[in-house]
């Protein structure tokens, strides 16, 4: 059930992005239109942007799946400890780099 839940959540997010994206574009101005003297924005997607987005999406999906699977095979106490531990580890590793 964990992988099914992850697939369903990812599907709902994708559908929301596909249908909600045009609504967001219509209601939120692009940053380049807020600049003085800006005539038009170049908001086209090139191949590099699409490939980068697919790679980031793949890593996010794999990380979420591993997280959900790991939490499904451990106790609630250990799961809560591990999730809260990431709030300490991530900034520490970011600070080291």
């Amino acid at each position: 059930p964990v992988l099914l839940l992850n697939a369903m959540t990812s599907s709902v997010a994708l559908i929301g992005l596909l249908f909600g994206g045009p609504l967001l574009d219509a209601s939120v101005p692009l940053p380049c239109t807020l600049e003085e003297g800006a005539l038009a924005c170049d908001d086209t997607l090139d191949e590099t942007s699409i490939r980068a987005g697919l790679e980031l999406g793949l890593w996010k999906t794999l990380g979420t799946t591993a997280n959900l699977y790991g939490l499904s095979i451990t106790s609630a106490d250990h799961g809560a400890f591990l999730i809260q531990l990431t709030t300490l580890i991530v900034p520490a590793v970011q600070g080291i780099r």
Side-chain angles (χ1 to χ4, degrees), residues 25-93:
D25 283 342
S27 63
V28 177
L30 294 173
C32 64
T33 60
L34 301 175
E35 298 173 3
E36 289 185 33
L39 298 175
C41 296
D42 184 23
D43 60 349
T44 58
L45 291 176
D46 57 347
E47 182 182 348
T48 304
S49 298
I50 293 173
R51 291 183 68 195
L54 288 173
E55 181 183 358
L56 288 173
L58 175 68
W59 286 115
K60 174 68 175 159
T61 301
L62 291 175
T64 303
T65 303
N67 190 8
L68 287 174
Y69 181 72
L71 288 174
S72 71
I73 59 174
T74 189
S75 68
D77 292 339
H78 288 105
F81 173 75
L82 292 174
I83 288 176
Q84 290 302 317
L85 189 62
T86 60
T87 62
L88 298 174
I89 291 175
V90 170
V93 171

Side-chain angles (χ1 to χ4, degrees), residues 1-15 61 64-65 68:
V2 174
L3 297 178
L4 179 64
L5 176 66
N6 189 28
M8 288 175 30
T9 305
S10 297
S11 299
V12 168
L14 179 62
I15 290 169
T61 301
T64 303
T65 303
L68 287 174

